[in-house]
Amino acid sequence: MKRLVIRLAVYLLILVVFVGGLELYGFNRHQKDFYLNVRHEPVPSLQGVKVPQFDPNKPTVAVVMADSSIPTEDFDFLIPYTLFSMTDAYNVYAVAPEKNIKSLSGGLDVIPHYSYKELDYLLNKSPDIIVVPYMKMTDEKKYKPTREWIQKHSNSKTTTFLSICGGSENLADAGLLKGKSATSHWQALPLLIKKYTETQWKEDVRFVHDGNTLTTAGQSAGIDGVLHLISQKLGEPVAAKIAKEINYPTYHFVQNPKVEPFKMNLEFTTYLLNLGFNWDKNQNGVLLYKDMDEIALSSIFDSYGDTGTTQILTVSSSDAPINTKHHLNILARHQIANAPKLDKMIIPGGDAKSLAGKDIKLWDEKGNAKETLLIHSDSPNRYLFEAPLEDLAKQEDLLTAKHAIKRFEYRAHGIHLEGNPYPLKTYGHLLLTVLLSLLVAFCIDRRFIMKKPIFNSNK
């Protein structure tokens, strides 16, 4: 009996070491590839960087970015930046501790318009709206200036703080949610409930507006929160007009944010397994070009990038900064002439053919990808996140795409998925790992346990 217990313990230990070790390695690799993907490439000349003209008669929206070593979540940043800019009623600026290049999750590089100090000097007061995306706080020294700037303006009676998705943790960390109600991404809420006990966390709403703070749930709920605030500040017709312009399918949540909470299920398990056992990630490029739509760009990074299956690489025709549709300055890490071999080049935007015609032609001549996909061009009147999520299902599988949809907290019915039902590559690698661990355990068993007496025969 004792021998059997020892043998079972060895088999279980080896299985845990192999499977758990690879899962931990894959999780850390994904953090590096997506949430900690900072620029290491040389920085070219930044001539041509433009800052939107300041209009003293307009209120100002400051969209926060952290230190260069702390990527800001791309959706959390790009969506509110774009939606507020679309109103043409605000000065909208990307702000950071300093003006050197900052990275968004997945590897998109942005040049801030102003440093915190510069914006404070320009306004001589607090911004009217401060947008707080999710920013990791693992490096206390480097995150400290961002926390202090948020806290500096927290006592302003005229400033509204808007957090998107996991950005509610950044607000809670700065002390702005004590004694208040708030929400966050459904995957983050269990930890936030335990960590910030002085906040009443709500799981069944898309956003919570409590005093001078407005917190939103996961990704697409951030659109609801921004439109709600626009409705409050500028009137409901303005919010409805913007929702129509972006073909937003669930505007009714802006009036009533109540929803049924999401729960962990098989799709989330598949996501975790993809992190550890999808060993051959797709290398997808995204073409950056002048006047491109920022929401279309965001739809690529978050749809593919945070799945454990795909690495996104930014590519442009030159190394010069690119000015987007709403005057954000972005920078590619690769140029068409020297871009690595890609599995797929994705060209986002419903008007990409007209705006990026020369760049597309140059890519067709000199680029190197198995497939080139103008992902929005054939359906410019759809909500921009739907086509990438459908393509993800074809590229990978249904379970991976279903988790991506759920991660977005997308609650419409406009996505039609086709593809393999399961991530066969991931499950195959998991099975291979299990078999290998059992083989190693068997060898240890034969060599050190089965041939070794358990009891001393002299006693």
Side-chain angles (χ1 to χ4, degrees):
M1 184 64 183
K2 186 176 180 180
R3 187 190 300 272
L4 177 61
V5 171
I6 293 175
R7 294 175 67 192
L8 289 174
V10 168
Y11 276 82
L12 181 61
L13 177 62
I14 297 299
L15 182 64
V16 169
V17 167
F18 272 66
V19 175
L22 283 175
E23 178 63 32
L24 180 61
Y25 172 79
F27 176 83
N28 290 332
R29 182 187 65 169
H30 178 67
Q31 293 291 304
K32 182 179 179 180
D33 289 345
F34 188 74
Y35 288 104
L36 299 174
N37 191 336
V38 297
R39 185 183 183 96
H40 298 291
E41 291 78 7
V43 177
S45 170
L46 297 184
Q47 289 185 349
V49 171
K50 300 177 181 179
V51 177
Q53 185 174 358
F54 174 67
D55 185 343
N57 296 314
K58 292 181 179 181
T60 297
V61 177
V63 189
V64 176
M65 305 181 77
D67 182 87
S68 301
S69 63
I70 307 172
T72 300
E73 214 286 333
D74 71 279
F75 183 105
D76 300 1
F77 176 88
L78 290 171
I79 299 303
Y81 177 91
T82 306
L83 296 180
F84 282 119
S85 297
M86 289 174 68
T87 67
D88 199 32
Y90 293 98
N91 301 301
V92 185
Y93 297 121
V95 296
E98 65 287 311
K99 286 181 66 174
N100 55 322
I101 292 173
K102 303 292 182 284
S103 296
L104 303 183
S105 58
L108 176 63
D109 296 325
V110 175
I111 305 164
H113 296 123
Y114 291 109
S115 68
Y116 298 150
K117 184 177 180 180
E118 287 173 336
L119 185 67
D120 287 344
Y121 180 79
L122 175 69
L123 300 179
N124 196 30
K125 66 182 185 68
S126 294
D128 297 270
I129 298 172
I130 294 178
V131 180
V132 180
Y134 174 60
M135 299 163 283
K136 280 187 172 292
M137 298 177 283
T138 50
D139 191 322
E140 169 61 26
K141 182 179 179 180
K142 293 180 178 179
Y143 180 72
K144 184 178 179 181
T146 297
R147 179 193 294 112
E148 290 180 343
W149 189 75
I150 293 171
Q151 291 172 330
K152 174 182 177 180
H153 295 287
S154 63
N155 293 323
S156 170
K157 296 181 179 180
T158 59
T159 299
T160 299
F161 289 85
L162 167 63
S163 70
I164 308 295
C165 193
S168 55
E169 181 176 7
N170 299 88
L171 280 187
D173 165 79
L176 273 69
L177 298 182
K178 287 183 179 180
K180 290 187 175 184
S181 296
T183 191
S184 190
H185 193 286
W186 62 273
Q187 290 176 200
L189 276 172
L191 292 177
L192 295 179
I193 290 171
K194 292 181 180 179
K195 186 173 182 180
Y196 299 100
T197 56
E198 295 183 62
T199 300
Q200 183 182 352
W201 296 98
K202 294 183 176 293
E203 303 179 81
D204 60 349
V205 288
R206 302 270 284 182
F207 60 85
V208 176
H209 198 168
D210 189 345
N212 69 336
T213 60
L214 172 57
T215 57
T216 80
Q219 273 88 341
S220 65
I223 296 177
D224 299 333
V226 175
L227 293 177
H228 164 78
L229 192 55
I230 289 173
S231 178
Q232 294 283 305
K233 300 288 187 180
L234 305 177
E236 195 277 333
V238 178
K241 179 176 178 291
I242 292 173
K244 185 176 180 179
E245 288 177 2
I246 66 172
N247 303 295
Y248 188 52
T250 52
Y251 182 70
H252 60 276
F253 287 129
V254 177
Q255 281 83 27
N256 180 15
K258 195 82 170 177
V259 290
E260 187 70 24
F262 283 121
K263 302 295 182 183
M264 302 292 185
N265 59 7
L266 181 59
E267 286 89 1
F268 185 74
T269 302
T270 298
Y271 165 72
L272 293 178
L273 291 176
N274 277 338
L275 299 187
F277 298 96
N278 188 309
W279 300 336
D280 184 23
K281 285 190 176 185
N282 282 280
Q283 299 292 306
N284 288 358
V286 58
L287 185 66
L288 308 185
Y289 56 89
K290 187 177 183 298
D291 294 329
M292 72 184 307
D293 183 273
E294 299 89 353
I295 297 180
L297 183 57
S298 177
S299 75
I300 306 306
F301 280 90
D302 254 343
S303 295
Y304 299 90
D306 193 14
T307 61
T309 68
T310 308
Q311 181 76 35
I312 303 295
L313 288 77
T314 53
V315 181
S316 64
S317 59
S318 76
D319 63 357
I322 296 165
N323 199 241
T324 65
K325 184 176 182 178
H326 297 100
H327 313 297
L328 192 65
N329 296 292
I330 59 177
L331 200 63
R333 296 186 184 179
H334 304 276
Q335 282 65 62
I336 291 175
N338 61 11
K341 186 175 181 179
L342 302 171
D343 293 290
K344 184 186 300 181
M345 167 56 83
I346 302 174
I347 305 173
D351 49 5
K353 290 180 180 178
S354 58
L355 291 178
K358 292 182 179 179
D359 293 339
I360 294 171
K361 182 179 179 181
L362 183 62
W363 173 259
D364 290 339
E365 293 172 354
K366 298 185 177 181
N368 187 7
K370 298 176 184 177
E371 176 186 1
T372 297
L373 179 61
L374 280 83
I375 196 159
H376 299 119
S377 294
D378 293 335
S379 52
N381 295 321
R382 292 185 74 186
Y383 178 49
L384 289 165
F385 283 86
E386 292 174 344
L389 291 166
E390 289 176 347
D391 183 64
L392 176 65
K394 295 175 183 178
Q395 174 184 297
E396 301 299 335
D397 60 274
L398 299 184
L399 284 181
T400 296
K402 286 178 180 178
H403 176 263
I405 292 169
K406 186 174 176 181
R407 177 178 171 270
F408 272 123
E409 301 204 19
Y410 175 93
R411 292 178 181 267
H413 303 285
I415 296 178
H416 307 286
L417 301 181
E418 298 177 0
N420 293 323
Y422 306 105
L424 300 178
K425 183 168 57 175
T426 294
Y427 287 1
H429 291 161
L430 174 61
L431 178 60
L432 180 63
T433 302
V434 171
L435 293 175
L436 181 60
S437 66
L438 292 177
L439 177 61
V440 171
F442 176 76
C443 293
I444 293 174
D445 184 13
R446 289 288 299 264
R447 177 67 178 85
F448 297 105
I449 301 175
M450 293 178 66
K451 294 183 178 180
K452 184 176 181 179
I454 299 299
F455 298 101
N456 191 333
S457 59
N458 295 326
K459 292 185 179 180

